[in-house]
Amino acid sequence: MPNLGSKSGANGGGSAASYDVVIVGAGFAGLYMLHKMRQLGFSARVFEAGDGVGGTWFWNRYPGARVDIQSLEYSYQFDEDLQQQWEWSERYAPQGELLDYANHVADRFKLWPDIQLNTRVTSAHFDEAADLWRVRTDQGDAVSATNVIMATGCLSSTNTPNFEGLSSFKGRTFHTGRWPKEPVDFTGRRVGIIGTGSSAIQSIPVIAAEAAHLTVFQRTPNYSVPAHNGPIPEEVVRKVKANYADFRAANNNTALGADWDYRADTALEHTPEERTAEYERRWAMGVLSFYGSYADLLTDPEANYTAAEFIRGKIRQIVKDPVVAEKLCPTTALGCKRICVDTGYYDTYNRPNVTLVDVNAAPIVAVTPTGLRTADAAYDFDDLIFATGFDAMTGTLMRMDIRGARGVSLKDEWAEGPKTYLGLCVAGFPNLFIIAGPGSPSVLSNMLPSIEQHVNWISQTVDHLRKQGLKRIEAKAQAQEEWVTHVNETAAPTILPTCNSWYLGANIPGKPRVFMPYLGFAPYVAKCDEVAAKGYEGFVLSAPAHAS
Ligand code: NAP
């Protein structure tokens, strides 16, 4: 009996049903995928590990968490009533509001009956004789499906470095990507935080305002620009909503799938004064528009240096202690890691209760019962926070036992790095789709339009197979090789692969160093459309194995 309309989702555990589609994950990708499948009349089941929907915004509840792309853009566009009626309270919505939005979508489109919460998919094996996927969960489900769609997110497997003595710490520990639901009170406490990526940069100012003392352990400084967050002026909302379709279309036609105020001229054709004026303008706008300052920012190290030096100048102006300021100044190319977005981050280092420790100079050696030890000192805390990021893009897929045709394991196939065709499909794994997989624009784009584009393409493909009386779709190995080469060739001339980022898997010891996302949302969409228009070029489509 389906659990109609309940926010607890469908009843689960031990099911042996058969579906057209199994969807793994109920984040923004899984929710829309389910909605599309149901619209098309396919039977679908979503398995979600968490006890609620929302994916990234379900798990990342750390203080200060909010989106870094304007909410009017970081939102679904598939339903005109939804985009007209939903009101964002701030320019960059906080985590709680994004979670409300995910729940609203599940309510509004009555998705709950097909979502099974608290259920982690453990394996998906392709049964060649039956031409079906056999999917198992940690709740004892053993279901079959014609198609499996991985809506598992790019940043869903957390990374906690395997420090010696990790479990010995006697205080409270937290990971920003697995933050508790209940508010955490740091009042009067001595807190240590490891990491200075986006999650740390958002949370540090909020935690510092509460804690007795906050010690930040920084290995690599990051570039951060101010969010300038606040309520969205009513006239802006009115203007966008008066013609939402055109607003979306203009954004979809860019390299990022977002309004980043891109300039087609180059930094080096301008005088230093003109460049500074432009960077000041971007600093005042805040957020990711900094990427769009000049056309050569991501391709010419000399141009990149001018923007990087501008931000270093800002850090030196804001942070009063020159030694601390210097430690905070990044030396990597601007944008080789995602530029962070903050509210008062650098200024937080002017507080008397905040200490910055450079663990590049003296690495963390061990976690101790009372804190941690670096190569040259020991620190004591009540609370220890890991803002140490994720095993990005492949981590969650690799933790499942996924086996394609002839029992080939995805772990083995990707042992030297992920290989996909269009970031969507893997040769040897028929009817397995990945939303925002490695080789797609995903994390180098506005995730919501990227997700919608993938969901639309997959839906259209599955529907096409049904209309043609076909069942199986599989990427050709050669098309996949060519796509992987193209993804690498697109990134190679840019500054993107020049530092130890998670785009390259460099944050995880032993992970193959391969540039995973594809740079260029608009050309990517055109390529996917072209592939479909040419009868699914690069794929083999076939009839059911048992068709007479
Ligand atoms: P992250 O960018 O990977 O940062 C992890 C931090 O932990 C880095 O400073 C890293 O140092 C440090 N670290 C890892 N292992 C360490 C070790 N063994 N010793 C010392 N330091 C260590 O992770 P994140 O901050 O969670 O962000 C991940 C991504 O999530 C972002 O890039 C962004 O795409 C997304 N995100 C977005 C938002 C937003 O939209 N507002 C907010 C948060 C996150 P190294 O740099 O030296 O490796």
Side-chain angles (χ1 to χ4, degrees):
M1 177 71 187
N3 188 355
L4 281 170
S6 158
K7 281 199 182 188
S8 59
N11 297 320
S15 165
S18 184
Y19 300 98
D20 293 319
V21 181
V22 158
I23 299 165
V24 188
F28 283 136
L31 292 176
Y32 180 42
M33 192 75 243
L34 172 60
H35 176 60
K36 278 299 274 190
M37 287 294 109
R38 291 203 331 195
Q39 270 188 330
L40 289 168
F42 289 108
S43 61
R45 182 73 157 182
V46 178
F47 293 115
E48 165 57 53
D51 67 5
V53 300
T56 283
W57 303 107
F58 175 85
W59 297 107
N60 289 268
R61 299 161 186 260
Y62 59 83
R66 64 177 66 252
V67 64
D68 63 0
I69 290 185
Q70 301 197 62
S71 298
L72 285 168
E73 300 175 57
Y74 186 91
S75 47
Y76 288 122
Q77 55 193 288
F78 68 84
D79 187 90
E80 179 62 9
D81 287 345
L82 172 65
Q83 68 179 3
Q84 289 296 337
Q85 288 163 13
W86 185 265
E87 302 283 351
W88 296 106
S89 69
E90 294 175 48
R91 204 172 157 207
Y92 305 97
Q95 171 270 333
E97 194 165 314
L98 286 152
L99 192 57
D100 288 348
Y101 180 64
N103 278 288
H104 171 78
V105 167
D107 289 344
R108 185 178 187 116
F109 298 102
K110 302 187 171 48
L111 302 179
W112 294 105
D114 295 320
I115 302 173
Q116 186 173 319
L117 301 174
N118 299 304
T119 306
R120 185 174 288 280
V121 169
T122 51
S123 68
H125 293 179
F126 186 66
D127 178 340
E128 277 201 277
D131 231 347
L132 283 173
W133 282 91
R134 308 245 175 237
V135 178
R136 290 181 181 275
T137 76
D138 64 355
Q139 298 302 310
D141 304 279
V143 305
S144 60
T146 308
N147 306 281
V148 171
I149 301 173
M150 295 295 177
T152 41
C154 298
L155 296 160
S156 47
S157 280
T158 55
N159 166 46
T160 302
N162 190 20
F163 294 121
E164 187 192 316
L166 188 60
S167 58
S168 69
F169 183 63
K170 292 201 161 30
R172 300 185 299 181
T173 55
F174 304 95
H175 192 293
T176 46
R178 286 290 178 276
W179 203 262
K181 281 186 180 168
E182 311 70 40
V184 179
D185 186 4
F186 291 108
T187 309
R189 297 179 73 87
R190 297 163 307 158
V191 183
I193 182 165
I194 304 173
T196 49
S198 302
S199 303
I201 282 177
Q202 287 189 329
S203 56
I204 283 169
V206 185
I207 297 168
E210 210 173 274
H213 196 92
L214 178 66
T215 309
V216 179
F217 293 89
Q218 169 187 272
R219 187 166 66 181
T220 314
N222 264 308
Y223 296 93
S224 189
V225 294
H228 300 301
N229 190 35
I232 320 177
E234 257 179 50
E235 64 275 17
V236 171
V237 177
R238 218 176 307 117
K239 197 168 155 221
V240 168
K241 288 193 172 178
N243 211 339
Y244 225 141
D246 284 356
F247 177 75
R248 300 286 197 181
N251 294 342
N252 288 350
N253 203 24
T254 69
L256 298 188
D259 176 10
W260 58 318
D261 196 17
Y262 175 77
R263 274 182 75 143
D265 52 349
T266 64
L268 298 183
E269 72 191 65
H270 289 278
T271 64
E273 293 73 25
E274 286 168 343
R275 281 197 298 264
T276 302
E278 180 61 9
Y279 296 143
E280 285 288 0
R281 190 175 78 84
R282 302 272 167 173
W283 184 266
M285 285 162 66
V287 193
L288 300 179
S289 69
F290 224 88
Y291 281 111
S293 309
Y294 292 109
D296 51 352
L297 208 70
L298 293 184
T299 51
D300 185 334
E302 210 185 319
N304 188 279
Y305 182 86
T306 65
E309 195 51 22
F310 173 83
I311 296 187
R312 285 189 285 264
K314 286 287 181 196
I315 297 170
R316 291 176 186 123
Q317 269 171 22
I318 298 169
V319 180
K320 296 194 176 95
D321 180 334
V323 177
V324 176
E326 243 14 75
K327 279 189 199 165
L328 286 166
C329 283
T331 53
T332 47
L334 174 71
C336 72
K337 293 184 180 192
R338 189 180 177 94
I339 300 173
C340 305
V341 172
D342 71 278
T343 301
Y345 175 64
Y346 293 119
D347 193 36
T348 299
Y349 292 93
N350 293 325
R351 297 178 65 103
N353 69 332
V354 176
T355 307
L356 179 67
V357 177
D358 176 3
V359 293
N360 195 31
I364 297 170
V365 176
V367 173
T368 64
T370 55
L372 60 79
R373 212 171 59 240
T374 64
D376 63 2
Y379 301 85
D380 286 347
F381 308 112
D382 302 310
D383 301 318
L384 187 53
I385 300 170
F386 292 87
T388 42
F390 301 88
D391 184 352
M393 305 206 73
T394 56
T396 305
L397 296 170
M398 298 298 249
R399 284 173 204 190
M400 273 181 265
D401 177 16
I402 302 173
R403 289 171 196 266
R406 295 170 296 286
V408 170
S409 138
L410 190 68
K411 280 192 194 92
D412 292 342
E413 282 293 286
W414 285 8
E416 287 166 14
K419 289 185 172 183
T420 67
Y421 182 36
L422 303 174
L424 277 162
C425 294
V426 185
F429 294 77
N431 298 47
L432 177 78
F433 299 92
I434 308 170
I435 299 178
S440 76
S442 54
V443 293
L444 289 183
S445 66
N446 180 357
M447 281 302 286
L448 260 285
S450 263
I451 283 170
E452 285 190 290
Q453 184 264 342
H454 267 194
V455 169
N456 292 338
W457 193 92
I458 294 167
S459 307
Q460 177 194 324
T461 302
V462 172
D463 193 39
H464 172 81
L465 291 173
R466 178 174 63 181
K467 284 182 178 144
Q468 301 298 314
L470 302 171
K471 188 164 183 195
R472 196 162 156 167
I473 178 166
E474 186 178 342
K476 290 181 186 168
Q478 194 189 335
Q480 179 169 285
E481 281 305 317
E482 286 166 9
W483 182 252
V484 171
T485 304
H486 176 61
V487 171
N488 281 295
E489 284 176 354
T490 306
T494 73
I495 53 81
L496 287 166
T498 63
C499 64
N500 290 326
S501 70
W502 56 259
Y503 296 148
L504 281 162
N507 62 328
I508 303 294
K511 189 165 173 172
R513 198 177 169 103
V514 174
F515 194 80
M516 293 184 284
Y518 177 66
L519 180 61
F521 179 72
Y524 174 81
V525 175
K527 170 72 180 172
C528 290
D529 290 347
E530 183 191 310
V531 163
K534 289 186 174 169
Y536 291 90
E537 188 177 55
F539 288 97
V540 178
L541 275 54
S542 53
H546 310 294
S548 52

